[in-house]
Amino acid sequence: METLAVTIPTELKERLEKLAAETDKSLDECLTLAVAEFVANWEIHLGDMHQIDEHEARAVLKAAND
């Protein structure tokens, strides 16, 4: 594990502490989960954008006619 120091607004820290208490998780667990979700979502998004930019084959959804 690595240690990372961040500065966040007081209000956000208070909200995080409240959620951590309500979910019975530590601040470290909540922050690790938040960062993991952020990274995963952006990796997917940027991967999709790179496919579009490179004109790679991708799935296309078509609406059915009624």
Side-chain angles (χ1 to χ4, degrees):
M1 287 284 232
E2 296 285 332
T3 299
L4 177 66
V6 298
T7 302
I8 61 173
T10 301
E11 178 192 355
L12 182 57
K13 182 176 181 271
E14 291 169 352
R15 291 169 55 201
L16 178 62
E17 289 171 333
K18 182 178 177 183
L19 288 172
E22 288 181 13
T23 59
D24 199 30
K25 295 188 183 306
S26 69
L27 287 177
D28 283 353
E29 289 173 307
C30 292
L31 289 169
T32 299
L33 178 60
V35 171
E37 288 180 4
F38 176 87
V39 169
N41 288 336
W42 275 99
E43 286 174 338
I44 291 167
H45 174 73
L46 291 174
D48 291 346
M49 295 306 295
H50 290 301
Q51 281 185 346
I52 291 169
D53 288 344
E54 296 170 8
H55 305 290
E56 292 180 11
R58 58 192 178 276
V60 176
L61 299 176
K62 295 184 180 185
N65 292 332
D66 290 320

